[in-house]
Amino acid sequence: MDAKQFLAVTAAMVVLGCTPSRKTSFGSFDEYPVYQGKWDEMNYRPSATDFSLWAPTAQEVRVMLYEDGQGGSPKEMIQMELKADGMWTATVKGDLKGSFYTFNVKVDGVWLGDTPGVMAKAVGVNGNRAAITCMEETNPEGWLQDQRPQLKSFSDIIIYEMHHRDFSIDTVSGIHHRGKFLALTEKGTKTYLGESTGIDHLKELGVTHVHLLPSFDYSSVDETRLSEPQYNWGYDPKNYNVPEGSYATDPYNPSVRIKEFKQMVMALHQAGIRVIMDVVYNHTAVTEGGNFERTVPGYFYRQDKNGKFANASACGNETASERAMVRKYIVESVCYWAKEYHIDGFRFDLMGIHDIKTMNEIRSALDKIDSSIFMYGEGWAAAAPQLPANELAMKNQTGLMPRVAAFSDEFRDSLRGPFGNDRQGAFLIGLPGYEAGVKFGLVGGVEHPQLQKDSIHRVPKIWASAPSQMISYASCHDDLCLADRLKVTAPWASPQERMAMYKLAQTAVLTSQGVPFIFAGDEVMRDKKGVHNSYNSPDKVNAIDWRNKTTCKEVFNYMKGLIAMRKQHPAFRLGDAELIRKHLEFLEVPAGGVVAFRINGKPAGETWKDVTVVLNARKEPVKIEVPEGRYQVVCADGKIQQDAPLGVMQGGQLIVSPRSALIVHQ
Ligand code: CA
């Protein structure tokens, strides 16, 4: 065929609605074309809307337009055309704002079924259809002036991990939009006992960041039945780039959830609080019939040796972050939340399923937006992922992921006992043998000469290169929360004794050089009625009972005091491994169940000299030898007061009451 004939044939094919022959099957996932541009699936203009879908194995792709977010037949069906790099496109003239759309992809002769695509930015109820919206119109008043609160260093962060329903569903909260994004915009809310709740409570406590449990569109809660109470943590992703509908006042109107999410972020920012999203890119709720499988079958997930979907998440699948377009997907999605919603941090669920290169690419992409955006994750997986161990973003490879942090289960378990056995206690209940793990957490998981020297107790493997790479915590949404755990592990203890252990735990977390992390409600000794995995338990298990703010005021004041002290005193957040090795010295203790350290001298910016912290989990008082001096007591006997010291200890000995922390300085 000469050139003229070829052109004639191609022109005829275009006229007939065909496109020239193209490759839709590939030898391996590495051969799939990589689209280089910005990955958008819908671009609205008043005069026309552009649709695109990356579906390199498709033989045909259609986009369907609908009047509504659910029900009814398509009002229009448009055939898409394959452009470069596996991207199919179509442009529909006219103003389509307010319409909904789905794609349908044909692979190997089979139509895979309706999907809103993988990149939908707005959806109808339950996220089954994507929506055509104008994003600028979702901005609340003042949004363009919204600014991230100042953050000088990751070491200054204090995280508060909350679920929207836990935080505000209790009627005692006095909050109008209970369980919604808007709950975090209400000022001046109080319990009937007069204690502040909501955003005022967060300000009073003094945390710097809220970490929102999954707030992207997840699948378990039916958004058409919101009059019935339904609860889920939300680790079952459906549409990664859209806020969850059940937290919006109207899940049917696509703009409402977007606008209310932004209102929430803006209100928190105005209160001086940054916002972290819990992101769950490691798996999706549905595999077969889910958005990924209906778009590019097989590509987004790893397969095992038998070609079946692998399952390192224990939720039915694991995504394949190492594949070029999956990596690009995760990077673009994270950046989208950072830019469009002004999100200040990301917590990666089962980060150990992702590969190191992806985490580093996210870090560098976020740095281009704002280097103060924080990243951390669970440096583990539920089962071994289908990728060589040395490529995985596991905790022990944190050194290969600068400025990405991971949770320290070593510190957590040394304090309260292991994940696998709720009934096993540890340091907090006075058991000896856990001191090395507590010390590991106190130094922020970095190398320390005195940690190496401990020959009696097993020292956890060091994995952090900077203290801000370690999340310090004693409890989170997973497993028993601290109040429940202490009830189970110390059933013999009186409520007063358990409160003392509780305060000891919080002192360890908030004097650790790692980044402290508090489970919402821990500041008022919330419980979960003894339920370990409460992911879908009803509100009566998961809701914070705000009457606790009155009955456990002592704990609240103590934690508030610890937070204020940490924020005021750089000794507790040196932020650098070398400085920790230089200043932090563990002291000799007379018995097991006690850990003591001193921050020698005055680190830069510190007004206190020789800050000394003793954690005494024993049921007896202990004496600690210290250099002769005059020590101001800021924390003792379960009380903390930094401005007007509680007393003075003169001489070369510190006496520490049973089950309590002592904090002094010269
Ligand atoms: Ca949903």
Side-chain angles (χ1 to χ4, degrees):
M1 197 186 323
D2 66 28
K4 251 185 201 164
Q5 279 175 312
F6 175 80
L7 285 173
V9 171
T10 342
M13 287 171 76
V14 171
V15 169
L16 292 168
C18 307
T19 42
S21 71
R22 68 261 164 171
K23 198 176 171 187
T24 55
S25 69
F26 306 92
S28 77
F29 292 120
D30 292 340
E31 291 174 20
Y32 279 48
V34 177
Y35 180 71
Q36 300 296 342
K38 187 164 173 275
W39 195 344
D40 268 332
E41 290 177 347
M42 189 277 296
N43 188 9
Y44 163 79
R45 285 169 284 135
S47 57
T49 299
D50 303 315
F51 296 95
S52 48
L53 191 75
W54 185 73
T57 53
Q59 295 158 317
E60 281 185 72
V61 182
R62 292 169 179 164
V63 58
M64 267 77 58
L65 298 179
Y66 300 85
E67 210 60 61
D68 294 305
Q70 62 170 2
S73 319
K75 57 181 179 181
E76 210 174 323
M77 187 171 77
I78 302 105
Q79 202 75 27
M80 299 181 80
E81 281 184 39
L82 180 61
K83 299 281 160 140
D85 304 329
M87 198 58 90
W88 295 72
T89 64
T91 296
V92 181
K93 288 202 172 122
D95 191 344
L96 297 185
K97 192 167 70 186
S99 292
F100 295 82
Y101 66 93
T102 58
F103 299 102
N104 199 351
V105 172
K106 187 166 144 190
V107 174
D108 293 337
V110 178
W111 288 101
L112 301 177
D114 277 13
T115 169
V118 300
M119 272 292 185
K121 307 282 170 65
V123 294
V125 70
N126 278 335
N128 293 326
R129 289 178 188 165
I132 300 169
T133 47
C134 170
M135 286 308 276
E136 285 84 50
E137 291 173 10
T138 64
N139 293 344
E141 207 187 322
W143 181 244
L144 297 179
Q145 286 73 50
D146 176 61
Q147 287 194 335
R148 305 175 194 279
Q150 201 190 21
L151 180 72
K152 286 194 190 137
S153 158
F154 289 157
S155 299
D156 298 345
I157 294 172
I158 300 168
I159 299 168
Y160 186 86
E161 184 207 37
M162 57 156 278
H163 183 282
H164 296 287
R165 278 185 93 89
D166 290 26
F167 189 67
S168 61
I169 203 72
D170 178 18
T171 50
V172 175
S173 70
I175 288 170
H176 177 61
H177 294 289
R178 294 183 300 117
K180 304 287 182 188
F181 295 135
L182 289 183
L184 284 164
T185 66
E186 294 178 34
K187 291 180 192 149
T189 58
K190 283 186 174 11
T191 68
Y192 64 88
L193 295 161
E195 292 293 347
S196 67
T197 58
I199 204 164
D200 288 2
H201 169 79
L202 296 174
K203 277 173 82 170
E204 192 187 357
L205 183 59
V207 293
T208 64
H209 287 59
V210 292
H211 155 165
L212 304 171
L213 256 69
S215 296
F216 52 79
D217 180 35
Y218 60 79
S219 75
S220 51
V221 168
D222 185 347
E223 298 173 9
T224 65
R225 296 190 295 119
L226 294 185
S227 52
E228 305 161 33
Q230 300 174 72
Y231 186 96
N232 206 285
W233 282 341
Y235 292 94
D236 52 333
K238 187 161 182 177
N239 291 292
Y240 282 105
N241 302 302
V242 191
E244 162 61 12
S246 65
Y247 301 138
T249 56
D250 180 1
Y252 292 86
N253 180 337
S255 298
V256 169
R257 60 179 81 188
I258 300 172
K259 185 174 185 181
E260 291 178 351
F261 194 107
K262 289 176 176 176
Q263 284 177 272
M264 168 187 71
V265 171
M266 194 163 70
L268 284 162
H269 282 175
Q270 281 167 358
I273 298 167
R274 288 186 166 222
V275 184
I276 295 168
M277 266 183 80
D278 196 334
V279 288
V280 189
Y281 295 106
N282 69 80
H283 74 273
T284 56
V286 175
T287 318
E288 303 277 8
N291 298 340
F292 286 153
E293 278 301 284
R294 284 188 172 184
T295 306
V296 194
Y299 185 82
F300 287 90
Y301 303 107
R302 292 186 190 134
Q303 288 75 21
D304 64 16
K305 283 192 211 96
N306 305 317
K308 300 249 172 0
F309 289 112
N311 188 19
S313 68
C315 297
N317 56 61
E318 68 182 79
T319 54
S321 59
E322 71 283 9
R323 292 179 196 158
M325 285 298 279
V326 183
R327 179 175 290 142
K328 179 181 168 75
Y329 181 83
I330 298 173
V331 172
E332 287 200 18
S333 176
V334 168
C335 290
Y336 173 71
W337 285 102
K339 282 188 194 159
E340 181 69 34
Y341 290 93
H342 305 178
I343 293 295
D344 311 292
F346 297 89
R347 176 268 191 198
F348 292 82
D349 186 63
L350 298 183
M351 181 171 74
I353 291 180
H354 301 317
D355 67 307
I356 291 170
K357 191 173 172 205
T358 297
M359 297 312 296
N360 285 333
E361 283 198 14
I362 298 168
R363 182 67 271 175
S364 88
L366 286 176
D367 282 343
K368 286 184 192 127
I369 298 167
D370 189 324
S371 60
S372 70
I373 296 174
F374 192 47
M375 280 174 70
Y376 57 108
E378 293 182 303
W380 48 73
Q386 304 289 314
L387 206 62
N390 64 356
E391 293 176 28
L392 294 170
M394 295 285 185
K395 185 181 62 179
N396 59 11
Q397 312 219 75
T398 309
L400 300 172
M401 298 181 283
R403 301 175 59 250
V404 176
F407 287 93
S408 172
D409 51 339
E410 300 89 350
F411 192 35
R412 179 197 70 193
D413 292 357
S414 301
L415 289 168
R416 60 138 215 211
F419 172 82
N421 183 359
D422 284 342
R423 301 199 165 269
Q424 174 66 50
F427 181 82
L428 295 176
I429 65 162
L431 295 179
Y434 296 94
E435 297 82 357
V438 173
K439 289 179 180 176
F440 173 95
L442 290 170
V443 299
V446 298
E447 279 192 21
H448 188 281
Q450 287 174 295
L451 270 184
Q452 316 288 25
K453 274 184 198 156
D454 194 319
S455 54
I456 305 163
H457 307 304
R458 200 181 67 84
V459 181
K461 189 177 178 301
I462 303 292
W463 49 262
S465 348
S468 54
Q469 281 190 301
M470 195 202 91
I471 304 294
S472 299
Y473 72 124
S475 106
C476 71
H477 69 278
D478 275 319
D479 36 292
L480 291 186
C481 61
L482 194 55
D484 285 338
R485 183 85 184 202
L486 290 173
K487 269 182 220 161
V488 176
T489 54
W492 38 265
S494 68
Q496 219 41 45
E497 284 169 325
R498 277 203 290 271
M499 192 192 288
M501 296 170 191
Y502 200 90
K503 288 180 184 170
L504 198 57
Q506 306 299 354
T507 318
V509 168
L510 285 157
T511 60
S512 154
Q513 298 289 336
V515 174
F517 172 104
I518 301 162
F519 178 40
D522 267 358
E523 72 281 16
V524 295
M525 273 188 99
R526 68 89 55 90
D527 68 354
K528 293 197 301 175
K529 312 290 181 291
V531 179
H532 177 103
N533 185 1
S534 63
Y535 79 100
N536 65 353
S537 299
D539 292 330
K540 67 175 192 285
V541 168
N542 281 308
I544 299 168
D545 179 347
W546 286 106
R547 286 173 299 189
N548 278 25
K549 195 168 173 187
T550 300
T551 52
C552 300
K553 194 64 195 267
E554 192 183 324
V555 167
F556 177 77
N557 284 339
Y558 187 79
M559 284 183 67
K560 183 179 147 187
L562 281 171
I563 289 170
M565 179 186 73
R566 183 181 180 91
K567 284 165 92 171
Q568 222 163 336
H569 292 280
F572 299 104
R573 42 186 172 83
L574 294 168
D576 175 86
E578 268 313 316
L579 282 178
I580 290 169
R581 288 188 278 270
K582 181 179 165 200
H583 287 284
L584 194 152
E585 181 188 352
F586 289 107
L587 308 179
E588 287 288 327
V589 294
V594 185
V595 172
F597 69 89
R598 178 172 55 229
I599 307 294
N600 285 315
K602 273 189 193 177
E606 182 56 76
T607 52
W608 289 351
K609 189 178 157 221
D610 294 342
V611 175
T612 305
V613 177
V614 186
L615 305 171
N616 178 19
R618 294 174 68 82
K619 60 180 193 295
E620 304 88 9
V622 289
K623 283 182 194 162
I624 306 286
E625 305 292 332
V626 287
E628 283 284 331
R630 190 181 146 80
Y631 293 90
Q632 308 276 337
V633 180
V634 288
C635 175
D637 301 316
K639 288 188 189 64
I640 183 163
Q641 198 170 286
Q642 54 168 330
D643 299 327
L646 294 162
V648 172
M649 286 188 186
Q650 190 99 29
Q653 263 188 350
L654 301 176
I655 297 165
V656 191
S657 306
R659 293 194 182 98
S660 74
L662 178 76
I663 304 176
V664 299
H665 65 90
Q666 297 227 54

